[in-house]
Amino acid sequence: MRADPLRYLSDELDSLKAQGLYRRLRILDGEQKAHTSFDHRSVVNLSSNNYLGLTTHPKLREAALEATRTRGVGSGSVRTIAGTMDIHMQLERRLAEFKHTEATVVFQSGFAANAGTVSSVLGKDDFIISDELNHASIIDGARLSRATIKVFPHRDAKAARAIVEELPRDRRRLIITDGVFSMDGDLGALPELCDVADEFGCIMMVDDAHASGVFGSNGRGTIDHFGLHGRVDIQVGTLSKAVGVLGGYVAGSRAMIEFLYHRARPFLFSTSHPPAVAAACLAAIDVLESEPQLIERLWENTRFFKSGLQALGFNTGVSDSPITPVIVGEAALAMKLSDALFQEGVFAQGIGFPTVARDRARVRTIVTSTHTRDELQFALDSFAKVGRSLGVI
Ligand SMILES: Cc1ncc(COP(=O)(O)O)c(C=O)c1O
């Protein structure tokens, strides 16, 4: 019999199990909503990125259905061959207006937008100055670019400046940060990093995945929130989280976008979105502009839930956003807390190494604008009960 050459993968999984890091996928039985059913259990859902409840918004649903009726289910090609539909162009124009930039390009995901952009804009003679907690898609893009990667301590713009100061001025240097960090919910040091970029003539890039639809006027993101229009050369946003659908986009100058049309590999070598996705994203921008109360409600819920967790004595870290971690230390304890909450009827995912540092394992919570006060109070009561029984508080 042939020996299994992939045996080491099972060994690796065994080791994850031994460390309490093995993850079983929770299966969503119904729709992605604030109160829904996973694994056939009815739960208050604190694990999605569906900040504004748009995954099931009637206007998005209808737009997707109508686009499917009139344009079919697939685009049938990559953008650069036969897969650019009029609706893809409409979405890019609409996003550019929304973001107040010359142009945008839409990618299949936020991951593809980051990885495809960083890897094509820079080359092996260049430098990337990156926050240590930047998203995996930035790290992968940076590696693919073959540029030299210089990592600065989290949010430490002084350290970033010290790095940049030492770099040759005749090389391209890109400073990059997340707008909102997905595991801690804190904001990148945007204003200070923009100052460094201005002083030294660096390219400035921000990944606003968790800020899109959440920060800034009508959810325009952290560049708008901090008043940095015109100072960030490359803005990445996602259509997969608060926007409720799927995709990522890059916003900036017309020349930069045209360059990405020619060089970004996910744009060139991977099929474009189905028309339903583009149509639903267009409807989502309408909703962001016409229903600002959704964002207001998101922030009310955020304040209520975050202060509730803090009053109970949980360590919620340094979050400034609707992402509130409950930091417990060991991964095994985080998974236990998550499992016990699930038994109570609350889904808050446990997260451990390598997604976060080994001693910073946590249960991550994200509220949405569609959670009711009763649902959030129920979740707080469950956290109190389970947190006490496990000795977390
Ligand atoms: C900071 C950050 N950037 C980018 C992404 C990728 O976005 P998408 O889910 O649209 O691929 C994520 C998603 O997890 C994220 O948290």
Side-chain angles (χ1 to χ4, degrees):
M1 212 178 61
R2 182 171 174 262
D4 179 5
L6 292 178
R7 173 70 202 279
Y8 66 100
L9 300 182
S10 312
D11 296 343
E12 186 86 5
L13 289 174
D14 289 343
S15 142
L16 290 181
K17 282 178 190 159
Q19 297 169 69
L21 293 173
Y22 181 82
R23 280 217 209 157
R24 213 174 43 75
L25 300 178
R26 293 252 183 241
I27 311 294
L28 178 60
D29 311 309
E31 296 189 325
Q32 182 61 266
K33 280 182 163 175
H35 195 162
T36 189
S37 170
F38 280 90
D39 294 338
H40 306 293
R41 181 177 285 273
S42 167
V43 287
V44 173
N45 179 8
L46 295 175
S47 289
S48 84
N49 300 311
N50 184 25
Y51 291 101
L52 303 175
L54 298 195
T55 54
T56 53
H57 193 289
K59 287 187 182 153
L60 276 72
R61 202 192 289 265
E62 196 42 54
L65 288 168
E66 181 58 16
T68 303
R69 275 188 218 104
T70 55
R71 291 177 163 88
V73 293
S75 77
S77 171
V78 301
R79 288 284 304 269
T80 46
I81 300 184
T84 295
M85 300 174 115
D86 55 352
I87 200 160
H88 293 131
M89 298 311 295
Q90 269 177 48
L91 177 59
E92 289 182 347
R93 280 194 296 272
R94 188 74 199 279
L95 280 168
E97 276 166 33
F98 182 69
K99 294 289 286 186
H100 305 314
T101 58
E102 279 177 21
T104 67
V105 50
V106 171
F107 287 85
Q108 299 84 351
S109 67
F111 196 108
N114 271 330
T117 301
V118 175
S119 60
S120 59
V121 166
L122 297 167
K124 68 175 172 35
D125 296 328
D126 303 330
F127 293 91
I128 297 172
I129 302 98
S130 178
D131 188 291
E132 66 178 332
L133 295 186
N134 276 344
H135 190 255
S137 52
I138 294 174
I139 298 169
D140 285 8
R143 288 178 182 155
L144 283 169
S145 75
R146 296 185 294 150
T148 303
I149 303 166
K150 302 276 187 186
V151 173
F152 60 88
H154 184 46
R155 302 189 74 253
D156 189 343
K158 276 203 184 118
R161 189 183 185 285
I163 292 171
V164 173
E165 219 169 10
E166 297 297 312
L167 298 178
R169 286 222 181 198
D170 59 349
R171 299 292 173 80
R172 296 183 193 113
R173 291 142 298 145
L174 172 95
I175 300 177
I176 184 161
T177 181
D178 281 357
V180 175
F181 287 86
S182 59
M183 290 300 139
D184 287 295
D186 53 343
L187 301 185
L190 267 68
E192 298 83 358
L193 291 173
C194 281
D195 288 346
V196 179
D198 287 349
E199 183 182 348
F200 291 92
C202 301
I203 307 161
M204 184 68 206
M205 175 165 173
V206 174
D207 166 17
D208 242 355
H210 282 276
S212 309
V214 175
F215 279 88
S217 70
N218 300 85
R220 285 182 169 79
T222 52
I223 286 95
D224 190 84
H225 171 78
F226 284 117
L228 297 171
H229 288 290
R231 296 183 65 194
V232 175
D233 306 287
I234 308 178
Q235 300 183 38
V236 170
T238 186
L239 304 165
S240 328
K241 301 185 193 296
V243 171
V245 195
L246 175 69
Y249 59 89
V250 181
S253 69
R254 162 69 51 201
M256 193 257 298
I257 300 308
E258 296 248 327
F259 175 85
L260 294 176
Y261 273 12
H262 288 83
R263 285 287 179 271
R265 291 167 77 82
F267 188 85
L268 295 168
F269 298 112
S270 184
T271 296
S272 54
H273 279 152
V277 169
C281 290
L282 277 163
I285 301 169
D286 286 341
V287 171
L288 289 180
E289 289 186 327
S290 62
E291 298 182 35
Q293 66 276 16
L294 289 178
I295 300 178
E296 283 158 28
R297 178 87 190 148
L298 169 68
W299 283 101
E300 280 165 23
N301 279 348
T302 297
R303 284 187 286 274
F304 175 78
F305 192 66
K306 206 185 285 286
S307 60
L309 284 173
Q310 286 162 353
L312 288 169
F314 286 105
N315 173 6
T316 60
V318 290
S319 169
D320 288 314
S321 73
I323 299 171
T324 307
V326 171
I327 300 167
V328 298
E330 288 295 307
L333 182 56
M335 300 309 160
K336 252 193 207 163
L337 178 60
S338 174
D339 286 343
L341 284 166
F342 195 74
Q343 293 312 314
E344 292 293 317
V346 175
F347 179 26
Q349 184 70 58
I351 296 172
F353 182 80
T355 312
V356 294
R358 274 187 204 280
D359 59 346
R360 306 271 299 163
R362 66 203 55 199
V363 161
R364 185 180 66 161
T365 69
I366 299 182
V367 299
T368 70
S369 59
T370 47
H371 282 99
T372 63
R373 272 299 144 88
D374 283 352
E375 285 163 355
L376 294 179
Q377 190 57 54
F378 173 78
L380 287 173
D381 294 344
S382 305
F383 261 97
K385 178 176 167 194
V386 170
R388 284 186 192 116
S389 80
L390 291 175
V392 177
I393 49 171

